[in-house]
Amino acid sequence: MLNLILFGPPGSGKGTQAAKLVEKYNLVHISTGDLFRREKKSNSPIWQEVQRYIDKGELAPDSITFRLLKAEMDKTPDAVGYILDGFPRNVNQAESLDVFFKKEGTEVSLLIELIVADKEVIKRITSRGKIEGRKDDQDPETVQNRINIYKNQTSPVADHYDKVNKTKRIDGIGTIEEIFERICGVLDAVTV
Ligand code: AMP
């Protein structure tokens, strides 16, 4: 299996790149943010539990997030691999994922981090908030909170996989096509 963690701050282009990677490598894309937005649409009990965190830009509880992720993976037992986008978001989630994958006889193949400076991230998130009407993308305080959480809680995940030489960092500034080529270059180097 090829299990890729697509990593980077909110607004770094993970979703856009994941959609292109799915086509080229035939992987299953799972975005935990999208899973939560799906819960929101149906105003499910899960959404009612996590709304207070998500609307403030904080992380939802690990146990609920992991349960949602596993339920989504269960839908594709024949997947040749996954692109995880927005997960893991802290070291505890990374450790749970490692244990889970090990039990399944697989592992994280690679973490690719898109490096984008704060200023650019804020610009992109704010414009996405206007287009998509996402509450957590529109309020400046919430946006800043999400960036801070990325730095304090999420960034250490890249270090976690760096220790086993699985982290690759690439420049996340450029056209969609340029960044896609950079990602493919890294992926092709490990898959051939
Ligand atoms: P995203 O679309 O990935 O930016 O996710 C939107 C929001 O969903 C985040 O700001 C968090 O509140 C929540 N969320 C998404 N993924 C996770 C995760 N792995 N752990 C905890 N909360 C998450």
Side-chain angles (χ1 to χ4, degrees), residues 82-108:
Y82 292 97
I83 300 179
L84 301 182
D85 154 9
F87 188 95
R89 228 39 176 235
N90 59 31
V91 172
N92 183 46
Q93 292 182 4
E95 286 170 350
S96 301
L97 181 69
D98 294 343
V99 169
F100 171 70
F101 270 165
K102 196 166 182 193
K103 263 196 247 154
E104 300 286 313
T106 186
E107 62 183 1
V108 169

Side-chain angles (χ1 to χ4, degrees), residues 9-11 14 31-34 36-37 47 50 53-62 65-66 85-90 93 128 134 136-137 142 146 149:
K14 300 186 293 290
S31 149
T32 41
D34 285 350
F36 283 126
R37 284 182 284 279
W47 174 250
V50 298
Y53 303 99
I54 294 181
D55 281 351
K56 277 190 285 184
E58 286 168 13
L59 297 185
D62 290 346
T65 308
F66 201 59
D85 154 9
F87 188 95
R89 228 39 176 235
N90 59 31
Q93 292 182 4
R128 178 174 70 185
R134 268 178 66 171
D136 61 344
D137 277 349
T142 306
R146 291 168 67 208
I149 287 175

